[in-house]
């Protein structure tokens, strides 16, 4: 564990295990500890890196306001502090937007990026319309129902409560994240970067529909798609065994590709 310096801010991160690297980027209600079920399951096979973006968890929260456009720099600072290469970035929800920007900014360090329950801010007219339609439906639901299934909330009351408590450690709020997708990358820019992209989606995601994610996969040449049955938006929390297995499959695929390149 340690701190990396990013534009004068102290960015907290932890490194667990050894092997091919997987760096996990949390969503709007998370921080490094939200990945407890991933670290425990993956650290015996991989180097698992967790990070707190500024305003989240143990990272610098002293600013009067937060600009989410600084988040990619926070991740890059951790990569540089540990001199990490051949890294697979996994971004959860809005964290995927920052992860994709990092992958395009320093492809020499990145072996691939997993966009979990997100299109990563990809700029495309058709996809923008689909995302907007999904969002219009999502806002009709209470926030917790967008993120976790009703069955999980009923049967896993303790883990549901802990999930809700996670966000109370953060200073940055959703309003601070709204501009992160501004000027997002185009399909042409992603393709030109040569960075492999995998869309990881849940069939029961109430925030972004599997149809929208599937369409993004169809439009992005060479992309991978992991569409998990019965999984909600916060699959990493509610169904970690499914999430972890998908992450491991993609990481192993990227490692095998590199070995044969």
């Amino acid at each position: 564990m340690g701190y990396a310096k990013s534009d004068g801010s102290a960015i907290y991160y932890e490194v667990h295990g050894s092997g091919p690297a997987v760096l996990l980027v949390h969503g709007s209600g998370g921080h490094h500890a939200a990945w407890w079920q991933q670290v425990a399951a993956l650290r015996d096979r991989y180097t698992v890196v967790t990070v707190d973006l500024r305003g989240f968890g143990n990272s610098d929260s002293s600013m009067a306001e937060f600009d989410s456009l600084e988040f990619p720099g926070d991740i890059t600072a951790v990569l540089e502090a540990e001199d990490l290469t051949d890294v697979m970035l996994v971004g959860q929800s809005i964290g995927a937007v920052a992860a994709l920007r990092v992958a395009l900014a320093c492809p020499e360090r990145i072996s691939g990026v997993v966009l979990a329950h997100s299109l990563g801010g990809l700029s495309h007219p058709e996809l923008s319309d689909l995302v907007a339609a999904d969002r219009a439906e999502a806002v009709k639901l209470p926030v917790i129902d967008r993120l976790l299934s009703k069955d999980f909330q009923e049967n896993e009351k303790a883990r549901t409560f802990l999930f809700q408590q996670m966000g109370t450690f953060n200073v940055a709020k959703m309003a601070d994240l709204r501009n992160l997708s501004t000027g997002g990358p185009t399909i042409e820019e992603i393709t030109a970067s040569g960075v492999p992209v995998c869309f990881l989606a849940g069939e029961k995601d109430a925030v972004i529909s599997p149809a929208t994610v599937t369409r993004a996969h169809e439009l992005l040449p060479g992309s991978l798609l992991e569409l998990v049955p019965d999984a909600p938006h916060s699959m990493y929390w509610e169904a970690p065994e499914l999430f972890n297995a998908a992450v491991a499959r993609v990481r192993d695929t990227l490692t095998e590709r590199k070995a044969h390149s």
Side-chain angles (χ1 to χ4, degrees):
M1 64 185 65
Y3 284 89
K5 286 294 184 181
S6 174
D7 191 30
S9 296
I11 305 303
Y12 181 82
Y13 68 93
E14 295 186 358
V15 181
H16 304 269
S18 61
V22 176
L23 190 152
L24 303 168
V25 185
H26 61 78
S28 60
H31 46 73
H32 73 277
W35 299 111
W36 59 284
Q37 297 176 104
Q38 283 65 54
V39 172
L42 299 174
R43 63 186 173 190
D44 289 340
R45 296 175 59 188
Y46 311 104
T47 297
V48 183
V49 184
T50 57
V51 58
D52 288 341
L53 300 172
R54 65 184 62 201
F56 293 83
N58 292 334
S59 286
D60 192 352
S61 300
S62 61
M63 296 81 82
E65 59 183 27
F66 300 92
D67 184 351
S68 61
L69 293 179
E70 301 291 343
F71 292 165
D74 298 345
I75 301 167
T76 302
V78 173
L79 294 173
E80 293 175 347
E82 291 293 318
D83 194 22
L84 293 169
T85 57
D86 189 25
V87 179
M88 186 178 82
L89 298 173
V90 180
Q92 166 66 20
S93 192
I94 201 164
V97 183
L100 182 56
R101 286 180 182 259
V102 172
L104 301 185
C106 50
E108 70 281 358
R109 291 187 180 273
I110 306 303
S111 59
V113 58
V114 176
L115 307 178
H117 308 277
S118 171
L119 301 189
L122 197 162
S123 179
H124 186 279
E126 179 185 349
L127 294 177
S128 296
D129 289 344
L130 291 174
V131 169
D134 289 345
R135 185 178 298 115
E137 290 301 310
V139 297
K140 297 176 183 178
L141 301 173
V143 173
I144 192 63
D145 290 346
R146 303 175 206 170
L147 307 179
L148 299 174
S149 71
K150 285 284 194 180
D151 285 346
F152 183 85
Q153 294 177 55
E154 180 62 30
N155 297 322
E156 296 283 352
K157 294 184 183 298
R159 287 171 65 200
T160 298
F161 176 73
L162 181 59
F163 179 85
Q164 293 172 302
Q165 292 297 103
M166 281 285 168
T168 65
F169 292 90
N170 303 326
V171 175
K173 305 299 182 185
M174 278 300 297
D176 298 309
L177 314 180
R178 295 301 184 189
N179 70 337
L180 184 54
S181 295
T182 302
T186 64
I187 287 174
E188 292 74 21
E189 289 170 334
I190 297 171
T191 302
S193 74
V195 174
V197 171
C198 175
F199 295 98
L200 173 55
E203 285 189 347
K204 292 188 176 179
D205 193 328
V207 176
I208 184 167
S209 71
T212 295
V213 178
T214 300
R215 184 58 181 148
H217 162 62
E218 293 170 348
L219 289 170
L220 183 59
S223 64
L224 303 174
L225 175 64
E226 288 275 347
L227 185 56
V228 181
D230 298 322
H233 187 73
S234 297
M235 187 199 323
Y236 76 98
W237 187 277
E238 179 170 332
E241 67 286 351
L242 300 179
F243 185 93
N244 299 343
V247 168
R249 282 194 298 271
V250 180
R251 176 65 266 194
D252 292 347
T253 296
L254 295 175
T255 300
E256 185 176 350
R257 282 184 180 180
K258 184 176 180 180
H260 291 90
S261 62

